[in-house]
């Protein structure tokens, strides 16, 4: 125990050194904490009572809309102190977008900005920049997703930030990495199209499609969060901050990795697991849209279930996975297919997939999607019921795990949100409501940045944190 305390104290002392690189790799410290078999000791504190993974990390959150806020929300859920800097008056533009309750922050904003504090600052004013620079000196990470060049235009170049705080990590989301499109502004669907998702989504004879999953925005935010945590880890060794960049095009392409795999396989012949192969439709030069085919090469389709005539989600995703083929045959009442030369082996089934799935569908249409799910899983046959947002919102198990949470908000009342999908056994996430615009301005100026009352009066009188008080403004 005493040893543990000593190590903790050592860690704290290290954290105070601002600019000098740490002399000893932190890995050695970690090794000392390890037990005999090289694994970290289990916390002696009760489950969920040993603080948070990112306790002590301060984030200057200069993000807006979706991609950046997704990233900083995750960091906040892991315990980082996230200070969201917003433009006085309007704040993050999403506060007012898609408003359902007049006068209240939109769900777009509240669902992306939990567990953060908000300070309003006009970064283009002299006093505003003074506060921002103090934030740069105080925080560990600056996260931003402004249009290319906007941070530089504000005066916050990497060189300037690094001179103010060499330990600061500057993390950015941009639409494109360096190259011909680097100056472009980018939104979700632009990224889905430019990253290879749209060209490979949809049916081969239909238009390219964008997907409902926000892989461009939220997907890139996730990538950025991993980059930040890695940079924080590396900083423990080097003592130095670094820049972290995630381009939305790169993030989407990373998620479309299997489609670039197929692009290269095309050079060696048709993609036999694609439905279009079974239909005798020739392949072109690029990975085609594969409808609902499974990316892993197992034939899969969406089949109707009981009630499909009236319920748009009474469907199930069904995969004829080779290892469970015999169990599928028994379940749907075709035991003869287990040994029949036209059906027993995957290559023989490929040209007959349409007929096979039609037969399976005759069976699924006699059951609800939940009955199909239960009956198939009893035999380890993986299937995917098409769950609506309504069903997910009402699913008790998701409420129990905190993946769907109910949050109370002072101006909009209770609403549902998606909680932290990443569960750490020793860093439990408690979802807190998003901040009101500028709700923590005074608290941050006083307690975090330690400005004196006189300095705060000057900052406020200048209008840097919002409309200056009338009497002072007139002076
Ligand atoms: N005080 C004063 N000015 C502020 C400010 C503050 N607190 N916060 C931001 N601003 C200013 C910026 O400095 C910028 O000014 P300049 O254009 O004069 O440099 C201005 O506000 C607008 O910033 P922006 O260009 O980033 O915003 P936009 O609405 O025009 O563009 C977006 C939005 C998302 C297209 C763009 O930010 C972008 O391409 N970001 C990178 C990619 C990205 O994250 N896209 C996903 C967004 S989620 O769908």
């Amino acid at each position: 125990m005493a040893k543990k305390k000593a190590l903790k104290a050592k860690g704290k002392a290290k954290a105070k050194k601002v600019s000098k690189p740490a002399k000893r790799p932190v890995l050695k410290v970690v090794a000392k904490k390890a037990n005999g078999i090289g694994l970290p000791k289990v916390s002696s504190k009760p489950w969920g009572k040993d603080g948070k993974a990112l306790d002590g990390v301060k984030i200057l959150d200069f993000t807006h809309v979706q991609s950046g806020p997704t990233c900083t929300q995750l960091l906040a859920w892991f315990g980082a102190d996230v200070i969201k800097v917003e433009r006085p008056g309007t704040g993050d533009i999403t506060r007012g977008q898609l408003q359902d309750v007049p006068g209240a922050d939109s769900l777009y904003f509240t669902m992306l900005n939990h567990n953060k504090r908000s300070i309003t600052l006009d970064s283009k004013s002299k006093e505003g920049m003074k506060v921002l620079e103090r934030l740069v000196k105080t925080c560990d990470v600056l996260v931003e997703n402004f249009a290319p060049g906007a941070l530089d235009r504000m005066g916050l170049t990497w060189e300037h930030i690094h001179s103010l705080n060499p330990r600061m990590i500057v993390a950015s989301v941009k639409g494109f990495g360096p190259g011909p499109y680097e100056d472009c502004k980018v939104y979700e669907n632009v990224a889905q199209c430019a990253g290879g998702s749209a060209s490979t989504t949809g049916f081969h004879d239909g238009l390219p499609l964008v997907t409902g999953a926000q892989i461009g925005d939220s997907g890139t935010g996730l990538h950025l969060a991993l980059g930040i945590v890695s940079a924080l880890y590396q900083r423990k060794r080097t003592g130095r901050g670094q820049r972290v960049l995630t381009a939305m095009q790169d993030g989407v392409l990373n998620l479309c990795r299997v489609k670039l795999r197929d692009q290269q396989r095309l050079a060696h012949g048709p993609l036999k697991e694609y439905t279009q192969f079974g239909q005798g439709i020739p392949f072109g030069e690029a990975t085609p849209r594969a409808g609902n085919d499974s990316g892993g090469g197992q034939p899969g389709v969406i089949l109707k279930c009981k009630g499909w005539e009236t319920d748009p989600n009474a469907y199930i995703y069904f995969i004829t996975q080779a290892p469970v083929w015999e169990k599928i045959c028994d379940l749907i009442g075709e035991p003869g297919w287990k040994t029949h030369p036209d059906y027993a082996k995957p290559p023989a089934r490929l040209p007959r997939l349409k007929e096979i799935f039609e037969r399976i569908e005759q069976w699924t249409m006699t059951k609800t999607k939940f009955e199909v799910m239960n009956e198939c899983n009893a035999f380890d046959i993986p299937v995917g019921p098409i769950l609506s947002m309504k069903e997910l919102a009402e699913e008790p198990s998701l409420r129990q795990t905190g993946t769907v949470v109910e949050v109370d908000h002072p101006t909009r009342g209770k609403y549902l949100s998606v909680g932290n999908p990443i569960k750490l056994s020793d860093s439990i996430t408690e979802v807190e409501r998003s901040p009101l615009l500028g709700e923590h301005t005074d608290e941050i100026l006083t307690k975090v940045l330690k400005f004196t009352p006189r300095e705060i009066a000057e900052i406020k009188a200048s209008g840097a944190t919002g409309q200056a008080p009338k009497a002072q403004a007139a002076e």
Side-chain angles (χ1 to χ4, degrees):
M1 199 63 187
K3 199 173 167 190
K4 202 174 170 188
K5 272 190 185 161
L7 281 168
K8 259 194 177 171
K10 203 170 181 182
K12 274 189 187 160
K14 261 193 177 172
K16 278 187 186 165
K17 283 187 198 166
V18 174
S19 54
K20 279 191 188 164
K23 280 186 188 153
R24 214 158 50 120
V26 77
L27 277 176
K28 286 187 184 165
V29 178
V30 173
K32 272 193 175 179
K33 280 184 181 172
N35 64 19
I37 51 168
L39 293 173
K41 279 183 185 165
V42 171
S43 168
S44 56
K45 303 227 173 95
W47 188 69
K49 299 286 177 212
D50 206 2
K52 299 274 169 74
L54 295 182
D55 265 349
V57 175
K58 277 200 164 38
I59 310 279
L60 194 179
D61 180 5
F62 224 169
T63 68
H64 64 158
V65 205
Q66 186 181 165
S67 63
T70 303
C71 167
T72 50
Q73 177 168 264
L74 274 171
L75 301 174
W77 279 339
F78 290 131
D81 180 6
V82 175
I83 298 168
K84 184 166 173 110
V85 176
E86 297 184 79
R87 196 200 295 256
T90 46
D92 186 326
I93 194 160
T94 59
R95 284 188 185 267
Q97 281 179 341
L98 307 174
Q99 268 186 339
D100 53 335
V101 179
D105 287 332
S106 70
L107 286 168
Y108 196 4
F109 178 83
T110 55
M111 291 178 73
L112 285 163
N113 290 284
H114 293 115
N115 298 59
K116 304 181 185 179
R117 296 196 272 179
S118 165
I119 174 173
T120 43
L121 269 187
D122 177 1
S123 63
K124 289 185 175 158
S125 72
K126 197 166 146 249
E127 290 294 312
M129 186 46 78
K130 187 167 106 184
V131 178
L132 257 181
E133 289 186 342
R134 181 81 65 100
L135 273 166
V136 168
K137 286 181 187 163
T138 309
C139 292
D140 299 278
V141 188
L142 184 157
V143 192
E144 63 94 19
N145 68 311
F146 290 126
L151 204 62
D152 287 0
R153 285 195 290 279
M154 271 182 208
L156 286 178
T157 60
W158 161 252
E159 291 72 21
H160 184 48
I161 294 171
H162 197 63
S163 72
L164 291 172
N165 179 1
R167 287 175 59 80
M168 174 158 264
I169 291 154
V170 178
S172 306
V173 169
K174 294 290 166 260
F176 293 93
Y181 306 120
E182 64 186 309
D183 291 330
C184 299
K185 290 189 173 185
V186 169
Y187 288 99
E188 172 67 49
N189 288 349
V190 178
Q192 287 198 26
C193 294
S197 176
S199 72
T200 53
T201 305
F203 288 88
H204 71 87
D205 53 353
L207 282 177
L209 287 181
V210 293
T211 140
Q214 305 286 282
I215 57 175
D217 280 338
S218 287
T220 308
L222 268 164
H223 282 90
L224 191 71
L226 179 59
I228 291 169
V229 174
S230 302
L232 280 167
Y233 190 74
Q234 188 170 7
R235 192 181 75 171
K236 282 177 174 265
R237 282 203 319 273
T238 64
R240 208 172 49 233
Q242 60 180 298
R243 277 172 288 181
V244 180
L245 168 69
T246 312
M248 294 167 78
Q249 182 184 42
D250 300 8
V252 172
L253 180 57
N254 183 36
L255 298 175
C256 291
R257 182 171 290 263
V258 298
K259 299 298 176 181
L260 187 57
R261 172 202 69 191
D262 291 352
Q263 178 63 42
Q264 295 170 85
R265 289 173 59 228
L266 260 182
H268 303 282
L271 306 170
K272 293 187 179 157
E273 76 284 8
Y274 278 48
T275 302
Q276 86 176 66
F277 175 73
Q279 293 171 337
I281 299 167
F283 285 79
E285 286 186 345
T287 308
R289 293 185 267 291
N292 291 320
D293 290 349
S294 127
Q298 306 286 349
V301 294
I302 290 182
L303 300 177
K304 291 170 184 158
C305 293
K306 197 192 262 180
W308 67 274
E309 298 89 340
T310 50
D311 177 355
N313 294 305
Y315 291 87
I316 196 140
Y317 193 82
F318 205 102
I319 315 165
T320 53
Q321 237 191 352
V324 291
W325 173 246
E326 297 197 353
K327 293 174 184 172
I328 294 172
C329 296
D330 285 335
L331 203 59
I332 63 167
E334 293 290 352
W337 281 4
K338 290 192 285 189
T339 48
H340 194 294
D342 285 351
Y343 303 95
K345 298 274 178 252
R349 292 198 289 274
L350 280 178
R352 298 175 180 80
L353 287 176
K354 191 166 176 287
E355 172 208 341
I356 290 170
F357 280 120
E358 278 171 4
R359 174 66 189 92
I360 300 173
E361 193 171 57
Q362 281 174 15
W363 177 76
T364 58
M365 281 167 70
T366 64
K367 297 167 191 303
T368 67
K369 60 189 174 190
F370 297 108
E371 286 166 349
V372 177
M373 171 90 176
N374 289 340
E375 291 190 31
C376 285
N377 274 287
F379 295 100
D380 285 336
I381 302 167
V383 285
I386 309 301
L387 296 185
S388 68
M389 278 299 145
K390 183 171 184 296
E391 285 163 335
L392 289 164
E394 292 164 358
E395 171 58 41
S397 64
L398 294 178
R399 297 291 184 103
Q400 264 161 24
T401 57
T403 296
V404 175
V405 286
E406 194 175 79
V407 186
D408 207 356
H409 188 276
T411 55
R412 67 172 305 114
K414 287 192 176 20
Y415 67 97
L416 278 191
S417 194
V418 183
N420 192 349
I422 306 169
K423 320 289 185 197
L424 268 63
S425 62
D426 260 345
S427 183
I428 307 299
T429 298
E430 290 130 327
V431 178
E432 289 165 15
R433 70 166 172 87
S434 59
L436 300 174
L437 179 61
E439 183 176 346
H440 306 97
T441 301
D442 286 347
E443 184 180 304
I444 290 162
L445 291 175
T446 317
K447 294 193 180 142
V448 181
L449 302 178
K450 314 269 189 246
F451 281 110
T452 62
R454 195 180 156 171
E455 285 172 316
I456 293 173
E458 277 169 15
I459 292 163
K460 289 196 163 176
S462 76
T465 56
Q467 217 176 17
K470 276 210 169 104
Q472 290 169 353
E475 281 169 11

